[in-house]
Amino acid sequence: MWFHRSVTMPVPHAEAVVDLQAITANARRLKKAAGAAELMAVVKADGYGHGAAPAARAALAGGATVVGVATLPEAIAIRAAGIDAPLVAWLWAPGEDVRSAIAVGTQVTVSSRQQLRAVIDAADSAPFVPPADGAPELKPGCVAIHVKVDTGMARNGVMPEDLPALLADISAAQHDGTVRMVGLMSHLACADVPSDPSVEVQIRAFRTAIDATEAAGLRPRWRHLANTAATLAVPAAHFDMVRCGIGLYGLSPLADRYDLLPAMTMRTHVALTKRVESGQGVGYGLTYHTDTPTLLALVPVGYGDGIPRGSGNRGEVFLAGRRRRIVGRVSMDQIVVDCGDGAVHAGDEVLLFGSGTRGEPTADDWAGYCDTINYEVVTRISPRVTRRYVGGPEF
């Protein structure tokens, strides 16, 4: 006798559900704020934890025209995913494999004469790039570069006093046909506080760098300074292009959310419940003790999944219709939630964070629990948390 057994899909250990339509809508919102400036979609750090390639496609569908990453391997991965939009990478050290990044058409950022020499040495690997949307044709062996100038943040970027010598070298290399300067960029230190005096100081310093570039006979297509915060709140910083990262994912660096739509929801399920008596210690170090008889729920995620260890005895999750507090220390693989006399069972859904529309905590709430920023909350979600895409071509 044959018996039929129904087949159900296994429940993932934990998953981050990414709404690609939200990313597309956020790109449209940011493009509108940018006015005449183009929008670069920044998908570094695996799209701030959302998935670099899916996020890039969704942002391009929303009006972005350029994709940006930090590192050379990130650029190579974007090309391997089949994305052929203009692509910029801006953070690399001497000795890294710049040749492979150039070979896939990456526009490489230089911040020193040493970096420029490395680009020139690898220029023979540069492919033909046809003209598009006003961008110049690039023949084989000619690398499109951006120059990053330090306008006062003291991180990456050439110092203003060293800029003329770098521009002179670029001008000579451009005459030889090994490079073409297509971008000039910098970064604001305090754009999340638009009234901070440093914002205007940096804008003026960037304008001075533009003047120096033009004096050297160079006319880059893109001059870009603004991040998400400046795109939304500092129009004077827009120039030819804005670079938006966190805003694409629906999170604001400012107090105002600007109608951005959070794209990620992190969820899992209760693994086990147990009734305990008053005075029961919980977790490593027994940093929490129950003050009444209560129901504890074991949730199978921890700092190995990206849950901040500092959220122990502070963070909340949404479980069985309400927010409930994490108690005890966060372990590598698990947390414990005090459910009081609630009706909670193994298998119940647990929302770690999301848009907040169902009452669940948001990434901003988690940033508050852990004295950090919403960028870190989403970016730190580890690869062992499954990404599931909805609302777009990946679905």
Side-chain angles (χ1 to χ4, degrees), residues 97-106 108 118-120 122-127 142-143:
D97 184 12
V98 70
R99 176 176 292 274
S100 293
I102 290 171
V104 296
T106 305
V108 180
V119 169
I120 292 170
D124 61 294
S125 66
C142 183
V143 185

Side-chain angles (χ1 to χ4, degrees), residues 42 44 48 69-70 90-92 109-112 115 147-162 185-192 202 224-228 243 373 375:
V42 179
K44 62 181 180 177
Y48 289 54
V69 295
W90 51 75
L91 185 62
W92 54 286
T109 297
V110 298
S111 298
S112 69
Q115 285 187 317
V147 172
K148 188 164 190 180
V149 58
D150 186 347
T151 54
M153 196 174 179
R155 291 197 320 179
N156 192 20
V158 59
M159 293 295 287
E161 59 268 27
D162 297 324
M185 66 184 291
S186 190
H187 194 61
L188 294 168
C190 300
D192 55 339
Q202 287 196 259
H224 47 112
L225 175 65
N227 55 10
T228 293
R243 300 187 309 270
I373 54 176
Y375 301 65

